[in-house]
Amino acid sequence: MKVLCFGSLNIDYTYKVDHILKKGETLSSESLQVFSGGKGLNQSVALAKAGCDTYHAGAIGEDGRFLLEVMKEAGVHTEHVKIRDDVRSGNTIIQNDKEGDNCILLYGGANQSIERAQVDEVLAGFGQGDFLILQNEINEVAYIMEKAHEIGMKIVLNPSPMNEKILKLPLQYVDYFLLNEIEAGQILNREDSGEIDGIKLAGELREHFAGAAVVLTLGGAGSVYMDAQETVRQSIYKVKAVDTTAAGDTFTGYFIAGIIKGLPVKECMDMASRASAIAVTRPGAAPSIPLAAEVESFVF
Ligand code: RIB
């Protein structure tokens, strides 16, 4: 069984700052580091490091060739990434504060240049039962979902970053939602999602999308998995955060890797939680994602 992540690849410009900038403020940063990132790339790297046969599709400009090397080193197949000479790669400006928190300014670049012909060409190599993982940092997500559904792929959606485009997607085709409580609330059109119990929120999502399994991340309160058969709660592993960038992507990649390997859900949730905790102890997005052996042996 193969897994295809059709998603973004970004050059992350990460600035270490005392605090996140306020409107109108000018602040000197302590350092600048350039990392490989993008929700798509990070999730592909996590899947591959977790031991899955992972293919990545997307687009970069000439300036992003090093992103391919990072993915190849992690074991990701990159032949479906288009290199364009007419557009620059996606990039971000990330402020990373002393608590390890961040805020991210995103420039779509090549990630927004996906063409339907590329989608058709890529999906021709996949079929029934293969997994497709999507986020919300590329264009043509709805078309990719339609075509993937037609050929019987299992669709995993991480609706992040959340915006109105998500609500226009054919969400009825999603087999697994991986999302936080704010994203879940927006999909359900609720205003009070942050205040309601995670299990209740996951249940409401399941009422709307009955065929789907839901993995809801709840920050310090851990995460919840729910499908028709079971509900599993997972707590977080406490660590000293250096940089939380890609923690969610690491969780997504490790969780889906476990499902693809046929592990019990409890084990998938535990591995995902361990892997994302390790990722936040390190700077950067993709470089912070641990290998499976480390996730298994790490002592918290
Ligand atoms: O989820 C983290 C990622 O979001 C970063 O790597 C950045 O590129 C943004 O896409």
Side-chain angles (χ1 to χ4, degrees):
M1 190 186 301
K2 293 186 287 189
V3 55
L4 168 68
C5 177
F6 212 135
S8 59
L9 305 94
N10 289 334
I11 303 171
D12 287 348
Y13 296 97
T14 301
Y15 295 83
K16 189 87 197 153
V17 290
D18 175 75
H19 59 271
I20 305 293
L21 278 176
K22 296 181 200 71
K23 187 174 177 179
E25 184 182 8
T26 301
L27 178 70
S28 287
S29 60
E30 291 156 29
S31 65
L32 163 63
Q33 284 180 288
V34 181
F35 294 112
S36 46
K39 292 185 193 305
L41 180 150
N42 298 337
Q43 292 179 22
S44 279
V45 167
L47 281 155
K49 286 190 172 176
C52 278
D53 189 19
T54 308
Y55 293 74
H56 190 93
I60 54 172
E62 290 287 350
D63 57 340
R65 282 184 182 271
F66 78 96
L67 300 172
L68 296 183
E69 296 316 310
V70 169
M71 284 201 293
K72 280 184 200 158
E73 234 169 78
V76 179
H77 303 275
T78 59
E79 62 268 28
H80 298 307
V81 178
K82 199 165 182 176
I83 304 169
R84 302 185 61 126
D85 59 10
D86 57 341
V87 57
R88 59 190 295 173
S89 298
N91 70 58
T92 61
I93 290 176
I94 301 183
Q95 295 178 46
N96 170 219
D97 74 9
K98 51 183 194 256
E99 275 80 47
D101 292 326
N102 66 32
C103 69
I104 302 180
L105 177 64
L106 187 62
Y107 171 71
N111 295 314
Q112 296 297 326
S113 71
I114 307 299
E115 288 162 2
R116 292 187 175 196
Q118 182 189 359
V119 175
D120 295 343
E121 207 177 298
V122 171
L123 291 185
F126 295 86
Q128 184 81 30
D130 287 335
F131 274 67
L132 170 71
I133 306 209
L134 296 163
Q135 314 79 26
N136 190 26
E137 286 187 343
I138 59 168
N139 63 313
E140 295 292 6
V141 174
Y143 183 76
I144 298 169
M145 287 173 77
E146 297 281 357
K147 293 289 155 182
H149 177 73
E150 273 171 34
I151 59 172
M153 291 182 83
K154 290 234 168 285
I155 300 180
V156 178
L157 179 67
N158 169 218
S160 179
M162 183 69 195
N163 60 29
E164 67 295 337
K165 286 187 194 163
I166 291 291
L167 303 177
K168 294 183 186 135
L169 297 175
L171 297 176
Q172 70 276 16
Y173 297 156
V174 175
D175 295 285
Y176 291 87
F177 283 99
L178 283 102
L179 71 184
N180 63 34
E181 69 262 58
I182 314 255
E183 291 155 354
Q186 285 169 329
I187 287 181
L188 293 167
N189 201 18
R190 290 187 69 118
E191 274 162 24
D192 57 348
S193 54
E195 290 152 31
I196 77 161
D197 176 69
I199 291 192
K200 194 158 180 276
L201 195 55
E204 283 186 27
L205 261 181
R206 289 236 341 113
E207 276 168 30
H208 274 71
F209 306 105
V214 172
V215 181
L216 192 60
T217 53
L218 304 160
S223 46
V224 171
Y225 171 91
M226 193 180 285
D227 67 13
Q229 282 77 41
E230 58 182 328
T231 298
V232 175
R233 261 195 183 278
Q234 174 67 44
S235 49
I236 58 158
Y237 285 91
K238 287 210 175 92
V239 289
K240 165 125 187 48
V242 169
D243 183 352
T244 55
T245 313
D249 300 328
T250 306
F251 188 100
T252 297
Y254 264 85
F255 176 80
I256 294 298
I259 293 290
I260 289 172
K261 288 184 212 164
L263 300 179
V265 170
K266 180 71 198 141
E267 214 174 302
C268 301
M269 294 288 276
D270 187 55
M271 281 294 274
S273 180
R274 293 174 72 91
S276 63
I278 296 170
V280 306
T281 65
R282 299 165 176 170
S288 72
I289 301 170
L291 280 164
E294 193 181 358
V295 177
E296 278 153 23
S297 62
F298 199 90
V299 180
F300 288 93

